[in-house]
């Protein structure tokens, strides 16, 4: 099966699918586009105009990272979703929650004023606590093995790790399980190699381009 993933380099939603593909050792090609000026063909295959989009065998297109990841999980080993229907539904719910967290993270990174920044930070503080409360003994969301929840949340935690280095948002000991989860994920090659080698620099450049309070906060050396 031929898989072509459409992306731009620092998209967290695309990163979810790259983590899944790399973890499973699946062969795929990656095509980068300018999402601010997408080619006409892309808008035809991605009705929402968002990445990722996945072309399968040169004829069928899928969009939305959660849908793509479940498809990938069904066609490759090992399975990253629980066998139990109720637990599988719970995982889907937390994957959806992870999407909301990524949107909140973007709002924080691109906040235009200190007031907006602090308002978004309050939302994020609540979300981080909600994630903390869901975690067990680890090292991953569901225990000893990686799941699609981990693939969905890893991009979020990778960015928070960087953002916290650039500008302290929270102390690690405020969320000890979350901190341990972050370290477990960032120790994995399938996570760290799901972004370009110069990812921190690219993320800083992106924030500078957005303008506003966030870049002043997160892009200082």
């Amino acid at each position: 099966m031929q898989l072509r993933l459409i992306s731009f380099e620092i998209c967290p939603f695309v990163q979810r699918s790259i983590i899944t593909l790399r973890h499973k050792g699946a062969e795929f090609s990656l095509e980068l586009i300018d999402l601010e000026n997408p080619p006409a063909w892309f808008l035809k295959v991605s009705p929402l105009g968002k990445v990722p989009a996945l072309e399968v065998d040169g004829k069928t297109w899928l969009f939305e990272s959660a849908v793509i990841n479940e498809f990938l999980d069904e066609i490759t080993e090992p399975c990253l979703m629980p066998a139990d229907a109720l637990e599988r539904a719970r995982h889907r719910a937390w994957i959806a929650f992870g999407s909301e967290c990524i949107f909140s993270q973007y709002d924080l990174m691109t906040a235009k004023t200190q007031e907006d920044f602090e308002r978004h930070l309050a939302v994020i503080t609540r979300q981080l606590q909600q994630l903390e409360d869901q975690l067990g003994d680890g090292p991953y969301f569901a225990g000893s093995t990686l799941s699609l929840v981990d693939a969905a949340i890893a991009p979020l935690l990778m960015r928070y790790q960087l953002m916290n280095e650039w500008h302290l948002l929270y102390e690690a000991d405020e969320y000890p399980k979350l901190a341990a989860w972050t370290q477990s994920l960032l120790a994995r090659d399938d996570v760290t190699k799901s972004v370009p080698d110069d990812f921190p620099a690219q993320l800083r450049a992106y924030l500078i381009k957005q303008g506003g309070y966030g870049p002043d906060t997160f892009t200082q050396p």
Side-chain angles (χ1 to χ4, degrees):
M1 187 173 290
Q2 294 181 337
L3 303 172
R4 179 166 68 122
L5 191 66
I6 310 302
S7 172
F8 75 90
E9 281 195 310
I10 63 170
C11 175
F13 292 100
V14 175
Q15 189 183 355
R16 291 172 156 189
S17 296
I18 295 177
I19 290 170
T20 303
L21 287 160
R22 293 188 66 91
H23 176 68
K24 289 168 173 281
E27 292 187 9
F28 70 101
S29 62
L30 186 66
E31 181 172 339
L32 302 178
I33 64 170
D34 179 357
L35 203 57
E36 294 182 359
N37 186 30
W41 63 261
F42 174 73
L43 297 178
K44 293 180 181 179
V45 302
S46 179
L48 300 176
K50 299 189 296 186
V51 291
L54 180 72
E55 184 187 40
V56 182
D57 285 340
K59 56 184 179 181
T60 302
W61 286 91
L62 302 175
F63 54 96
E64 287 295 311
S65 62
V67 174
I68 289 171
N69 274 13
E70 284 217 40
F71 168 72
L72 295 172
D73 196 42
E74 290 175 0
I75 65 169
T76 56
E77 297 291 340
C79 182
L80 300 182
M81 286 290 273
D84 178 75
L86 179 60
E87 186 65 5
R88 195 161 59 247
R90 189 177 78 88
H91 277 222
R92 289 190 182 109
W94 284 99
I95 290 169
F97 180 78
S99 296
E100 290 302 310
C101 291
I102 289 174
F103 292 136
S104 296
Q105 184 179 72
Y106 177 81
D107 288 340
L108 182 73
M109 290 191 298
T110 59
K112 300 303 182 184
T113 65
Q114 183 174 357
E115 181 181 4
D116 284 343
F117 182 88
E118 292 175 354
R119 176 167 53 85
H120 293 310
L121 183 58
V123 172
I124 283 166
T125 299
R126 182 178 70 250
Q127 290 173 339
L128 293 176
Q129 187 61 58
Q130 289 171 307
L131 286 171
E132 175 82 8
D133 293 343
Q134 284 299 309
L135 295 174
D137 295 331
Y140 304 116
F141 180 81
S144 61
T145 58
L146 199 77
S147 71
L148 287 187
V149 180
D150 296 290
I153 301 293
L156 176 86
L157 299 181
M158 176 183 282
R159 284 157 180 75
Y160 276 140
Q161 178 91 342
L162 281 173
M163 292 162 67
N164 224 23
E165 291 173 3
W166 297 338
H167 176 85
L168 187 64
L169 299 174
Y170 56 86
E171 299 286 354
D173 58 8
E174 294 180 62
Y175 310 102
K177 292 182 179 180
L178 199 64
W181 190 20
T182 301
Q183 295 311 308
S184 295
L185 290 172
L186 295 186
R188 300 182 58 96
D189 283 348
D190 47 16
V191 173
T192 58
K193 293 183 178 179
S194 63
V195 293
D197 291 340
D198 63 346
F199 174 72
Q202 285 202 37
L203 184 60
R204 282 181 186 247
Y206 178 80
L207 294 179
I208 290 171
K209 186 177 179 180
Q210 300 307 304
Y213 180 83
D216 290 341
T217 303
F218 291 119
T219 60
Q220 299 304 313

